[in-house]
Amino acid sequence: SISTSSTALASLTDAIISLYTYPYECTEQLSSRLLGIQSLWDVLQAFHCKDLPDISIMTTKLQTDMNTLKGRQFSNGGFGYWTNRNDAYADPFVSVNTAHCLVVVIKKQICNVDMYMLDNVLNYLTNIESEIDKLPYSKHWCETTRFSLISYALYVRAKHLQIVANEALELFVRSGLNKLSLEALGWLLISLSTEKNDKTDQLIETIYKHLKGKVNETSETANFITSYGDDDQSVMLHSDQRTDAILLEALLYIDPDSTLCTKLCKGLQAHKVKGAWKSTQENCFVLIALEKYFLIKEKDTPDFIANIWLDNDYCGQHQYKDRTTDTHTVNIPMKVVLSSSSSNAEIDDQNKNLVMQKDGSGRLYYRIAL
């Protein structure tokens, strides 16, 4: 069985719809909806997803979400899960997540962003450590969680084109590898990429080598497994698939040609249930990573033919033109595989060559199976 396709982004429509129609509206869920949909906006246009609402209707709903977020900002720039009441506190993770959303939205220029709201939350991110210390319950958090929050804040600032490489270096000196979650390492890799010098290059290489030792790899997929301990769900909303997505995006920054990138992409897609991932966090971070994958790996619009031979016997062709998530399959009966080849009937007929040829531009993905 030989399957071919022109994209690793098998239909993402269900994941987008899952975020768009999600019925609950805490600050994290609104931010995740804005983040995921706007991150993949260009990809949605490229693949012409017919199952999604009209662009104008989606834009109106996303702008409403943005206005709701504005009403939940505290005076220190942070955000709470539901409110900005004086008797409540801004939540560090939700605050960084909302800042992440605003930074992406302002870059895409699809919704209007209040610049005061953005500047205020970026100031909160710059002072994230002191904001954490002000919370009466943060003393119960482990160091891994604290360092993860700081790393995420650096990553968001890097996304806003701030040079944060030196702060990332300083954080690593304090924490070392053992007190950094794999997610934090992914965020730091992107933060370190904001300034290229011997120190950042050396640390990027150190982290990359460490990550290679933490990956579970098969012939087709790859995944990482990590945990924050007791804080992982309550503070960081952590999950294994979110970790894979964060590290996929980081690897696409530092080593886009690595086979790990394609394997992580396939591994993430294998964990979808009814077309989507299991939480708003997973959906938005996976879509962010897949947008980066799309822009790097699949920048050329497909216009090619995939030809398949078994020795000299022509088995068929698959034609790809323009963006499509279609997969084509050719099944060769086992009796044909085991029969004498027409090209070497008089010689040793135990071995045959399966030949695949791509003629044209674009990226060809294939899967060969028995």
Side-chain angles (χ1 to χ4, degrees), residues 125-143:
L125 264 56
T126 303
N127 302 303
I128 183 76
E129 194 160 10
S130 62
E131 295 292 348
I132 292 171
D133 289 337
K134 291 175 185 175
L135 299 174
Y137 45 80
S138 63
K139 61 188 176 185
H140 303 295
W141 296 350
C142 66
E143 286 187 295

Side-chain angles (χ1 to χ4, degrees), residues 196-214:
K196 302 294 285 181
N197 57 49
D198 290 344
K199 285 185 177 179
T200 57
D201 288 347
Q202 186 177 354
L203 182 50
I204 286 172
E205 188 58 39
T206 298
I207 293 174
Y208 191 19
K209 184 178 179 181
H210 176 76
L211 290 175
K212 286 177 179 176
K214 297 288 185 180

Side-chain angles (χ1 to χ4, degrees), residues 279-296:
S279 70
T280 50
Q281 278 290 294
E282 284 190 5
N283 276 307
C284 83
F285 273 97
V286 171
L287 294 177
I288 289 167
L290 293 185
E291 186 230 10
K292 182 75 174 174
Y293 184 96
F294 175 78
L295 292 174
I296 291 177

Side-chain angles (χ1 to χ4, degrees), residues 3 17 98 132 135 137 140 152 183 194 266 317 321 353:
S3 301
I17 291 174
T98 306
I132 292 171
L135 299 174
Y137 45 80
H140 303 295
Y152 187 17
E183 288 187 333
T194 59
K266 286 185 177 181
Q317 66 171 222
K321 192 167 181 67
N353 293 314

Side-chain angles (χ1 to χ4, degrees), residues 296-347:
I296 291 177
K297 296 284 190 178
E298 300 179 12
K299 59 182 181 293
D300 297 328
T301 302
D303 187 7
F304 66 85
I305 296 174
N307 293 298
I308 304 166
W309 290 267
L310 186 64
D311 271 351
N312 283 356
D313 298 328
Y314 188 61
C315 301
Q317 66 171 222
H318 303 150
Q319 184 167 8
Y320 296 93
K321 192 167 181 67
D322 297 327
R323 305 286 184 184
T324 173
T325 55
D326 292 347
T327 296
H328 297 287
T329 301
V330 163
N331 290 312
I332 304 174
M334 207 63 207
K335 62 182 180 181
V336 175
V337 177
L338 294 174
S339 66
S340 299
S341 172
S342 58
S343 64
N344 60 353
E346 298 177 2
I347 326 171

Side-chain angles (χ1 to χ4, degrees), residues 56-222:
S56 61
I57 296 174
M58 290 180 69
T59 303
T60 301
K61 181 167 184 174
L62 295 177
Q63 187 63 58
T64 301
D65 291 345
M66 183 63 66
N67 296 339
T68 303
L69 288 177
K70 183 179 176 181
R72 295 182 181 174
Q73 188 171 35
F74 285 81
S75 58
N76 66 351
F79 289 82
Y81 268 97
W82 291 101
T83 180
N84 60 353
R85 294 197 323 250
N86 290 333
D87 60 344
Y89 296 96
D91 182 90
F93 178 80
V94 170
S95 300
V96 181
N97 194 232
T98 306
H100 187 184
C101 158
L102 297 179
V103 165
V104 169
V105 170
I106 201 165
K107 191 182 296 184
K108 295 290 182 179
Q109 297 183 328
I110 297 160
C111 294
N112 296 320
V113 178
D114 185 309
M115 293 308 297
Y116 176 77
M117 175 168 67
L118 177 63
D119 291 341
N120 215 8
V121 74
L122 286 173
N123 185 58
Y124 178 96
L125 264 56
T126 303
N127 302 303
I128 183 76
E129 194 160 10
S130 62
E131 295 292 348
I132 292 171
D133 289 337
K134 291 175 185 175
L135 299 174
Y137 45 80
S138 63
K139 61 188 176 185
H140 303 295
W141 296 350
C142 66
E143 286 187 295
T144 299
T145 294
R146 296 172 67 93
F147 288 137
S148 292
L149 288 166
I150 298 167
S151 300
Y152 187 17
L154 289 174
Y155 159 89
V156 173
R157 290 170 57 200
K159 286 278 188 164
H160 196 53
L161 304 182
Q162 293 185 13
I163 308 299
V164 295
N166 284 336
E167 291 174 70
L169 284 166
E170 290 170 9
L171 178 63
F172 188 83
V173 169
R174 289 170 54 198
S175 65
L177 277 171
N178 294 334
K179 292 180 182 177
L180 290 174
S181 67
L182 296 190
E183 288 187 333
L185 291 173
W187 286 322
L188 282 184
L189 283 174
I190 294 173
S191 303
L192 290 164
S193 301
T194 59
E195 187 175 348
K196 302 294 285 181
N197 57 49
D198 290 344
K199 285 185 177 179
T200 57
D201 288 347
Q202 186 177 354
L203 182 50
I204 286 172
E205 188 58 39
T206 298
I207 293 174
Y208 191 19
K209 184 178 179 181
H210 176 76
L211 290 175
K212 286 177 179 176
K214 297 288 185 180
V215 68
N216 175 30
E217 202 170 351
T218 70
S219 59
E220 275 199 57
T221 64

